[in-house]
Amino acid sequence: MLDKATRLLQAMVDVLSSSGWLAPALATMELSQMCVQALWDRDSVLLQLPHITKEIAAKCAAAECESVYDLMDLEDAERNELLAGLSSAQAEPKL
């Protein structure tokens, strides 16, 4: 179902764009992105990371760490404190 929804949304973007309807086309693009990422636009982007729960994302938001780049820029001790609920294997970045 999700596969069909994303294809339908892409077709809607094509039709709306070719008709010159910018606002509905942008809204449809945002909805498509939410379907692909399995997140609402109001959810933390950190929830896209493996093993990150809503509780950990809330702790990060309270520490003004709202993106992956913010998380990477933290000192090791501060990052470890925010990710305290994760095992060392889960918290280790995978390249």
Side-chain angles (χ1 to χ4, degrees):
M1 187 67 167
L2 190 57
D3 181 50
K4 292 183 189 319
T6 54
R7 286 190 279 150
L8 177 61
L9 288 167
Q10 289 300 321
M12 290 173 62
V13 168
D14 291 343
V15 170
L16 292 167
S17 297
S18 65
S19 298
W21 296 342
L22 180 60
L26 290 174
T28 306
M29 285 182 213
E30 288 180 16
L31 180 59
S32 177
Q33 184 175 5
M34 286 185 270
C35 287
V36 169
Q37 294 174 337
L39 293 172
W40 293 109
D41 59 349
R42 63 184 170 267
D43 290 336
S44 170
V45 296
L46 295 175
L47 292 172
Q48 296 176 58
L49 298 174
H51 313 294
I52 299 294
T53 63
K54 288 186 178 187
E55 292 79 20
I56 294 173
K59 282 185 0 185
C60 290
E64 297 182 9
C65 176
E66 298 179 356
S67 72
V68 175
Y69 299 109
D70 292 341
L71 191 61
M72 290 179 356
D73 288 341
L74 292 174
E75 295 295 326
D76 290 342
E78 191 176 1
R79 185 181 321 107
N80 291 340
E81 183 179 324
L82 288 175
L83 303 177
L86 301 179
S87 70
S88 58
Q90 290 173 329
E92 185 177 311
K94 308 285 191 271
L95 300 177

